[in-house]
């Protein structure tokens, strides 16, 4: 998965996964989730701007047959133009939303009527 800030195509389904706003970007007024995916994209863009060669991956992690990720594994490693180590990031970003009523809830572990949802091939 590659964010738009790094040239990712938001129309390519292979490059998309369902994620909460808090997991993907800064949310004004919401209690802190910690680092989000945008934070890592900004770090990678800055490293590239300094001339680093960067390997950057975002891997959605699923629980069982669910179609919505529980977390996103974020990795970035770089090498400077002088061949020395550059950026080195690793973080697991939870796919969570916050509400005043329920607090933090992870989108990848939703249950409805005691059944996990959503799952593949649901009608």
């Amino acid at each position: 998965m590659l964010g738009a800030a790094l040239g990712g195509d938001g129309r390519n389904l292979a490059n998309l996964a369902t994620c909460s706003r808090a997991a993907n970007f800064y949310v004004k007024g919401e209690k802190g989730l910690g680092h989000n995916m945008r934070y890592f994209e900004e770090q990678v863009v800055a490293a590239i701007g300094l001339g680093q060669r960067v390997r950057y991956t975002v891997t959605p992690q699923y629980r069982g047959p669910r179609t919505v990720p529980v977390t996103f594994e974020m990795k970035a490693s770089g090498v400077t133009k002088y061949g020395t180590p550059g950026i080195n990031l690793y973080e697991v970003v939870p796919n969570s939303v916050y509400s005043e009523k329920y607090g933090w809830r992870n989108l990848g572990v939703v249950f409805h009527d005691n059944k996990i949802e959503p799952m593949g091939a649901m009608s």
Side-chain angles (χ1 to χ4, degrees), residues 17-62:
T18 301
C19 70
S20 69
R21 180 77 173 154
N24 194 41
F25 205 75
Y26 305 102
V27 180
K28 184 178 179 183
E30 205 168 86
K31 295 184 180 190
L33 178 62
H35 293 148
N36 56 43
M37 289 190 276
R38 181 64 182 160
Y39 169 81
F40 288 98
E41 290 170 0
E42 290 170 346
Q43 305 301 308
V44 171
V45 167
I48 292 169
L50 293 172
Q52 290 187 36
R53 290 182 164 246
V54 178
R55 177 173 172 80
Y56 175 66
T57 60
V58 179
T59 307
Q61 302 294 321
Y62 298 89

Side-chain angles (χ1 to χ4, degrees), residues 55-109:
R55 177 173 172 80
Y56 175 66
T57 60
V58 179
T59 307
Q61 302 294 321
Y62 298 89
R63 185 172 294 167
R66 297 172 186 266
T67 58
V68 175
V70 176
T71 60
F72 297 90
E73 184 180 67
M74 316 283 292
K75 295 180 185 178
S77 59
V79 177
T80 69
K81 57 187 172 183
Y82 306 107
T84 58
I87 191 172
N88 186 18
L89 300 173
Y90 175 82
E91 186 84 19
V92 176
V93 177
N95 194 11
S96 298
V97 294
Y98 181 82
S99 78
E100 290 294 328
K101 185 174 181 180
Y102 299 109
W104 285 103
R105 299 290 174 134
N106 191 296
L107 294 179
V109 293

